[in-house]
Amino acid sequence: PFMTIQAALALLLAKVAGTADVAFGFPIVGRRDPALDGLIGFFVNTLVLRVNLDGNPTVAEVLDQVRQRSLAAFEHQDVPFEVLVERLNPTRSMSHHPLVQVVLAWQNFAGENVDELSGRRLGDVAITQVPVDTRSARMDLSFSLGERFSESGVPVGICGAVEYRTDVFDRVTVEGLVARFERV
């Protein structure tokens, strides 16, 4: 499902940006190093997915490209994002991120609804989901999506949230983008 959503986002971004070459980021939990096993912390790295839609590819071709490039990104997930930025040496600006302005986070909790995680326990530690409204956005546009399931484990759809910079987008524009994303 995540790669299908990535392909849909690539198609949407290409259409609204008027370009065949799009890139967006996606976070990945960076815990492959056994040295991190005993540590508590937020070890997340941002991977970049670049999709080229030149030549009017079929949906199957787009899905295949996204799959191949996502798997390649996963293989190189241990490369720190800062190293990637340093090696690519993009033009720096204080107004936007150096490589991507859009992020797609896929929330997958082994088939569980995020809301059901509240009230769970890890030994003596209780888990409580606390919504955070920072009134700031790190990226121009961030989608946080995940598949939801019924109590019996049957998929019931995808839902999530969108965060955006208000100096770049307004609410009506973002709602329009979300509606178009849903159609794609």
Side-chain angles (χ1 to χ4, degrees):
F2 178 49
M3 290 180 189
T4 303
I5 297 298
Q6 286 178 313
L9 182 59
L11 290 167
L12 173 68
L13 294 175
K15 189 70 169 176
V16 298
T19 182
D21 190 18
V22 295
F24 56 90
F26 61 99
I28 186 161
V29 176
R31 287 201 169 258
R32 292 195 325 177
D33 185 346
L36 301 175
D37 287 350
L39 298 177
I40 296 174
F42 191 63
F43 299 97
V44 174
N45 200 3
T46 301
L47 303 181
V48 177
L49 179 65
R50 187 172 179 185
V51 180
N52 190 313
L53 301 168
D54 274 333
N56 198 23
T58 66
V59 171
E61 290 168 336
V62 173
L63 287 167
D64 186 53
Q65 180 185 163
V66 166
R67 181 181 179 277
Q68 288 178 26
R69 292 184 177 191
S70 289
L71 292 174
F74 290 142
E75 285 298 314
H76 297 94
Q77 67 180 285
D78 295 324
V79 175
F81 191 77
E82 297 76 23
V83 171
L84 183 61
V85 172
E86 181 182 306
R87 290 196 181 151
L88 292 174
N89 196 23
T91 303
R92 298 296 184 108
S93 168
M94 295 298 287
S95 66
H96 61 80
H97 194 272
L99 296 181
V100 294
Q101 286 77 51
V102 178
V103 169
L104 172 62
W106 185 251
Q107 307 299 333
N108 57 338
F109 295 96
E112 298 188 46
N113 286 325
V114 176
D115 297 336
E116 293 175 5
L117 293 175
S118 288
R120 296 270 176 102
R121 300 192 71 78
L122 293 171
D124 292 336
V125 178
I127 300 172
T128 303
Q129 181 178 340
V130 179
V132 177
D133 185 2
T134 62
R135 300 261 180 230
S136 66
R138 295 180 342 174
M139 296 287 175
D140 290 357
L141 188 62
S142 298
F143 294 91
S144 180
L145 305 174
E147 193 169 13
R148 299 295 175 250
F149 300 85
S150 69
E151 288 182 21
S152 62
V154 176
V156 294
I158 295 172
C159 66
V162 180
E163 180 181 271
Y164 59 94
R165 286 185 39 188
T166 56
D167 61 330
V168 177
F169 296 103
D170 61 23
R171 183 183 183 109
V172 172
T173 302
V174 171
E175 288 173 348
L177 282 170
V178 169
R180 290 176 76 174
F181 194 13
E182 288 173 338
R183 283 194 302 276
V184 174

